Amino acid sequence: MPQPAKRKRGNDSATESFKEARQKIRTLESSLSDKSNLNNIVEIFKYAKNPNPQTAHAAIHSLGRVFTALLASGDLRKPKHVDENSAKFKVFTWLREQYLDYLKYVRSLLSSDEPGLQLPALNILLANIKSESESVMNNNGSYHFANAVYGPIVKAIITSTNFNEHIRKELVEKYLNVYDDLRHYFLKDAAEIMDQAYQKKETLKKSGNYNSNKKAKLSETEEQQENLRLIASNVLSILEGIRTMPTEASEIDEFWTVNPNMYETKAVQQEKQTDDLLGEGLLSDSESEDEKDTKRDGKKRKHPLLQLRVHKRGFTDCWINLMKMPLTEEMYKRILLILHKRILPHMHEPKLLMDFLTDSYNVGGAVSLLALNGLFTLIVDHNLDYPDFYIKLYSLLDRNVMHVKYRSRFFRLLELFLSSAYLPAALIAAFIKRLARLSLTAPPAASVIIIPFIYNLLKRHPTCMALIHSNTAISESEDPFSMDDMNPYECKAIESSLWEVQTLTQHYYANVSTLAKIFGEQFLKPKYNLEDFLDHTYATFFTTEIDRKRKKEPALAFEKPSTFIWEI
């Protein structure tokens, strides 16, 4: 008869210990209904610091319920007309200290290595925001958001060294993408925290007296730089996930606390709240004409939290301050990838990104390619003057651009930039010639983009047809075109010919050679749809060849062997 399995005493002991602790916590919590037992809060707090995550989890939830009840009853509100030496005031002071210590401890759990404590801590803290706000609103009779409590939570999140996907997803999907007030105040607080951290670094850099030891000074500066990168990385991860920025005032309708319209506030209070929300400086410029007219007509103004411009300014402040931070190349690319679609449309003043985008465009490489979208938006929609735009664009065309993963994106934009029929023929010829030269060393996936691209340019700019009919250059040695000259107006492309396209008719890949032969025929085709060629890769070519129907099997030898002889 088999022996019964032995019980694991260690695990059972731990489970039993947790059950006992949970029961004690419940007993202590229930005893707090009698205010003579308020000291039991300290006992529950001890359990909250227990190394057992289950016990700590039960304790912080218990304290959350206790302090929520105390907020609702007004016991955490400073009593009026009470002597500071009275017992009532001393109880209030002690309770307030316990409450603040509790919030501080729960905020520290946001950096915990235990996900089972991180997420509950976040949920408890945000539930507390609602309770704190309601407590003040019930007392004052006017709208209030407990940003004094929310700000430290935001700081704890974005400065956390253990920020991970679990807490990011919980924060963004459950709260910031749902509630307009939480999102706005997060953006506002994050902007202030980043600005303070950045100013601290700048002060440290300028000051020469904070440390006489050069090595220690360097170490302190590097540490500050790493802290800034940490904050920037955490903030960027959160901002990337925010996809519900309002585009109209009517979309501002979901609130974690309450809708501000529920409380009527005086005009003076609204003015003060507007100033608090918008701040001062570059981003708090003059009001719109509609708002001035509203004031002039004496109509009731909307609460600042219901105004679209307030949300846009908070969004703008946050992104501008993020872009001041020391960004890694990877963060740079992540910002530029979403800038034209998810940042610029929601900014209060998109022109503030002019310097960032022009600097990015001048960096070169993949960063410049990604900056094109945003820069083009500013040029077209916001009258950005960039006189050397086409010269810089021309310089981006090198062998590397044929291999980057943003290649298709670049060619879409390039087609857009060269679509005007009023561009000089010399400029268009330079782009055609440079692309043709690059096609000789480009992978097949890039060559099949370049050929129809050149065809479309020639159709759109008939003046450049001379490049096909000219016989002045039939090889690189005789070609007057200078590939090394980065000025498209001085590279002598218009004096050259497209001998490279003729060379492509001998390409090893049949699709490329067949496509190149179009230049030897009459230009009867209106134009190619470039989208049909942009997403080709080696993988798609391979799949096409494998799936192709063959009339007969390909030959494996030029003569059919009479017998099979295997030699090893």
Side-chain angles (χ1 to χ4, degrees):
M1 182 176 178
Q3 295 293 323
K6 293 184 179 180
R7 298 177 64 185
K8 296 181 180 179
R9 292 187 178 181
N11 290 345
D12 288 345
S13 176
T15 304
E16 187 176 345
S17 175
F18 163 65
K19 288 181 178 179
E20 290 176 359
R22 183 175 59 185
Q23 186 57 45
K24 289 178 181 177
I25 290 169
R26 288 174 177 173
T27 304
L28 290 168
E29 182 183 345
S30 61
S31 71
L32 290 171
S33 57
D34 183 354
K35 292 187 178 180
S36 63
N37 296 321
L38 288 175
N39 281 330
N40 286 340
I41 290 175
V42 178
E43 297 302 317
I44 302 176
F45 207 167
K46 290 178 182 177
Y47 283 106
K49 296 180 179 180
N50 192 291
N52 185 336
Q54 290 179 305
T55 303
H57 182 275
I60 60 174
H61 274 284
S62 175
L63 286 172
R65 291 189 292 270
V66 169
F67 285 118
T68 298
L70 290 172
L71 281 168
S73 64
D75 290 315
L76 292 176
R77 194 182 309 125
K78 186 177 180 180
K80 297 179 181 178
H81 312 298
V82 175
D83 184 19
E84 292 187 2
N85 295 320
S86 65
K88 185 175 182 180
F89 192 87
K90 288 180 179 178
V91 170
F92 155 74
T93 304
W94 182 84
L95 278 175
R96 193 73 189 174
E97 287 175 357
Q98 298 302 312
Y99 174 59
L100 295 177
D101 287 345
Y102 165 71
L103 292 180
K104 183 178 179 181
Y105 176 70
V106 179
R107 286 197 301 268
S108 72
L109 294 179
L110 293 173
S111 298
S112 172
D113 295 329
E114 177 59 54
L117 290 177
Q118 260 192 328
L119 300 187
L122 177 65
N123 292 323
I124 288 170
L125 287 167
L126 291 178
N128 177 258
I129 294 293
K130 183 181 288 188
S131 302
E132 181 94 27
S133 300
E134 288 175 355
S135 174
V136 176
M137 286 187 284
N138 292 336
N139 184 51
N140 297 341
S142 60
Y143 178 78
H144 175 79
F145 183 89
N147 197 39
V149 181
Y150 189 51
I153 298 172
V154 174
K155 186 173 183 178
I157 292 171
I158 67 176
T159 58
S160 172
T161 54
N162 196 29
F163 184 79
N164 54 53
E165 181 61 20
H166 299 292
I167 197 165
R168 187 203 71 82
K169 190 174 180 180
E170 183 83 359
L171 175 66
V172 173
E173 295 185 5
K174 189 175 178 180
Y175 297 105
L176 301 186
N177 271 339
V178 179
Y179 301 104
D180 295 306
D181 49 355
L182 288 180
R183 182 186 58 248
H184 168 72
Y185 280 101
F186 175 87
L187 295 171
K188 177 178 178 291
D189 293 336
E192 290 179 0
I193 293 164
M194 286 189 288
D195 185 56
Q196 290 169 5
Y198 181 78
Q199 294 302 331
K200 182 179 178 181
K201 188 207 79 167
E202 290 299 302
T203 304
L204 195 65
K205 187 190 294 185
K206 292 176 183 177
S207 173
N209 301 321
Y210 63 91
N211 201 319
S212 57
N213 188 326
K214 286 187 177 180
K215 288 185 178 180
K217 185 189 295 185
L218 183 62
S219 175
E220 197 170 349
T221 305
E222 289 175 351
E223 183 181 350
Q224 191 68 22
Q225 192 85 344
E226 285 302 313
N227 289 338
L228 291 178
R229 281 204 184 95
L230 173 68
I231 294 172
S233 176
N234 291 348
V235 172
L236 178 57
S237 297
I238 294 169
L239 293 183
E240 281 179 317
I242 295 178
R243 298 175 179 270
T244 56
M245 275 298 295
T247 55
E248 297 178 2
S250 59
E251 295 175 2
I252 307 171
D253 56 2
E254 289 288 339
F255 300 94
W256 179 241
T257 52
V258 295
N259 190 319
N261 277 339
M262 291 180 62
Y263 293 89
E264 292 185 3
T265 55
K266 296 179 181 180
V268 176
Q269 290 175 322
Q270 289 189 344
E271 288 287 346
K272 184 178 183 303
Q273 287 172 332
T274 304
D275 293 339
D276 290 342
L277 283 167
L278 299 183
E280 297 179 354
L282 181 63
L283 297 180
S284 58
D285 52 6
S286 59
E287 298 170 327
S288 66
E289 291 300 321
D290 292 340
E291 290 159 350
K292 289 180 180 178
D293 292 341
T294 302
K295 280 186 175 181
R296 198 180 299 119
D297 297 340
K299 294 180 182 178
K300 183 180 177 181
R301 289 182 58 196
K302 284 184 178 180
H303 187 279
L305 200 57
L306 296 173
Q307 296 176 23
L308 182 62
R309 69 190 180 101
V310 171
H311 288 262
K312 282 194 169 187
R313 283 182 174 176
F315 182 85
T316 302
D317 281 352
C318 193
W319 275 107
I320 291 294
N321 282 308
L322 174 61
M323 291 173 188
K324 290 179 184 176
M325 306 289 270
L327 303 174
T328 63
E329 185 177 353
E330 184 260 342
M331 286 191 280
Y332 230 118
K333 291 178 181 178
R334 284 162 61 189
I335 291 174
L336 292 171
L337 273 170
I338 63 173
L339 190 140
H340 65 292
K341 284 187 177 179
R342 289 169 48 195
I343 300 177
L344 281 174
H346 301 297
M347 294 199 76
H348 173 67
E349 190 57 68
K351 292 180 182 178
L352 292 172
L353 290 181
M354 284 182 178
D355 290 341
F356 176 78
L357 283 169
T358 50
D359 290 345
S360 301
Y361 191 47
N362 293 329
V363 167
V367 172
S368 293
L369 298 185
L370 294 174
L372 277 174
N373 267 118
L375 197 60
F376 180 72
T377 302
L378 290 183
I379 291 172
V380 174
D381 298 335
H382 303 283
N383 301 319
L384 171 64
D385 184 22
Y386 197 106
D388 296 329
F389 178 78
Y390 282 99
I391 295 176
K392 180 62 182 177
L393 182 64
Y394 182 77
S395 69
L396 291 180
L397 281 171
D398 57 19
R399 292 178 180 178
N400 294 328
V401 81
M402 300 300 159
H403 297 272
V404 295
K405 63 180 179 180
Y406 312 114
R407 180 180 61 210
S408 58
R409 178 177 180 156
F410 173 71
F411 274 100
R412 285 188 184 95
L413 289 170
L414 188 61
E415 183 182 35
L416 185 63
F417 298 148
L418 300 179
S419 60
S420 173
Y422 299 102
L423 291 173
L427 178 69
I428 298 299
F431 276 94
I432 290 174
K433 185 65 181 175
R434 192 169 184 84
L435 284 168
R437 184 66 62 84
L438 290 172
S439 68
L440 297 178
T441 55
S447 296
V448 297
I449 300 174
I450 291 173
I451 294 170
F453 193 94
I454 291 175
Y455 184 92
N456 290 350
L457 284 178
L458 290 172
K459 288 288 290 186
R460 193 178 295 120
H461 302 273
T463 313
C464 296
M465 291 292 287
L467 292 171
I468 291 181
H469 303 304
S470 173
N471 293 320
T472 55
I474 57 174
S475 67
E476 187 174 1
S477 60
E478 301 173 5
D479 199 340
F481 170 72
S482 174
M483 189 71 175
D484 297 327
D485 194 334
M486 291 294 105
N487 190 328
Y489 299 100
E490 298 176 359
C491 62
K492 300 181 180 179
I494 199 70
E495 302 173 16
S496 182
S497 68
L498 287 179
W499 59 267
E500 296 92 347
V501 173
Q502 179 62 31
T503 305
L504 288 178
T505 60
Q506 306 299 320
H507 198 278
Y508 69 88
Y509 185 52
N511 285 6
V512 175
S513 59
T514 303
L515 200 57
K517 290 174 183 176
I518 190 71
F519 293 98
E521 303 171 3
Q522 290 186 343
F523 274 47
L524 299 178
K525 186 177 179 66
K527 72 169 189 175
Y528 283 97
N529 182 7
L530 206 61
E531 289 296 327
D532 296 338
F533 303 92
L534 289 176
D535 296 322
H536 284 301
T537 62
Y538 279 114
T540 59
F541 286 152
F542 183 79
T543 303
T544 302
E545 294 298 326
I546 291 296
D547 296 341
R548 179 181 295 172
K549 292 182 179 180
R550 296 176 178 81
K551 295 180 180 179
K552 60 180 182 179
E553 291 299 317
L556 300 179
F558 70 96
E559 289 182 358
K560 185 177 181 180
S562 57
T563 58
F564 292 100
I565 301 174
W566 300 94
E567 294 183 0
I568 299 177

